Amino acid sequence: AIGIGIRGEWRVESGENTNRLAAADHRFAAVPASAQKLPASAQKLPARLIVCERTGRWALTLRRELAEAGVRVWETRTVADCWRELAESPASFVVVELAGELSGLLHRMARQPREFPMARLAVVADRALADHQWLMREAGAVHFLCSPRKVGLLAQLVCRHLAQTPPLHQSLTD
């Protein structure tokens, strides 16, 4: 069972074990790139758009929407693969599909602000899962989307985030 508890905390209950994870307010904020202090690992690789889903439907829709902007879409099929890609490019924008194991995704989302503070995460889902929107937002999602027809706002968030991340610094030795 999953529920939102007192003081904005949410918990995932499985069997006898109950894990409480604090859900902070991680709304998308416009912070100038010059004011952001990045860890050394985030300065080495450029930010990218990572889409984690099983079917490729959302990635295809985002590719069409972002074609003119020249944004490349990196696809993964599992949340574990997605987090490996995020570790390589920690300031990325991640779009993850809500499907299957909900508690595993919530645990990753709860750790994301500590592990990858410059990354932003949006959740896409089937309309049948629309009731989970506020749970996903409490867990740190900057956007929740159930219809590929409304991908325009998500594309704008992606472009804004990628524009705000510092460019890849290259030297003659790189």
Side-chain angles (χ1 to χ4, degrees):
I2 298 171
I4 298 174
I6 302 170
R7 294 179 308 253
E9 295 179 346
W10 56 272
R11 70 178 125 198
V12 178
E13 297 180 17
S14 57
E16 297 178 10
N17 299 329
T18 301
N19 298 316
R20 295 182 70 119
L21 303 170
D25 187 14
H26 301 290
R27 290 191 174 87
F28 193 86
V31 177
S34 60
Q36 299 173 350
K37 181 164 176 87
L38 292 175
S41 60
Q43 294 174 354
K44 293 181 182 176
L45 295 172
R48 52 186 156 183
L49 171 58
I50 304 169
V51 179
C52 177
E53 63 173 329
R54 293 187 180 162
T55 63
R57 177 180 84 150
W58 291 98
L60 179 64
T61 304
L62 280 166
R63 267 193 193 93
R64 287 180 185 152
E65 188 72 24
L66 294 166
E68 288 184 28
V71 175
R72 182 174 176 198
V73 177
W74 297 74
E75 289 186 64
T76 65
R77 297 292 179 235
T78 66
V79 175
D81 288 342
C82 179
W83 251 246
R84 278 192 282 281
E85 289 290 327
L86 188 55
E88 291 179 15
S89 183
S92 294
F93 193 103
V94 176
V95 176
V96 64
E97 181 179 34
L98 176 59
E101 177 66 26
L102 182 60
S103 65
L105 176 60
L106 286 171
H107 284 287
R108 297 262 187 173
M109 288 176 70
R111 290 193 328 249
Q112 178 262 320
R114 287 187 308 275
E115 293 176 2
F116 310 109
M118 295 302 299
R120 296 295 177 261
L121 188 133
V123 177
V124 294
D126 186 77
R127 285 187 183 103
L129 299 172
D131 291 345
H132 292 15
Q133 174 176 334
W134 292 108
L135 179 62
M136 295 293 105
R137 289 183 183 270
E138 283 287 325
V142 297
H143 192 62
F144 185 91
L145 184 62
C146 289
S147 173
R149 292 181 184 153
K150 297 182 179 181
V151 78
L153 179 58
L154 178 58
Q156 289 174 0
L157 290 173
V158 168
C159 288
R160 187 169 83 185
H161 175 74
L162 295 178
Q164 289 177 347
T165 57
L168 178 63
H169 296 291
Q170 294 182 353
S171 66
L172 294 176
T173 59
D174 287 345

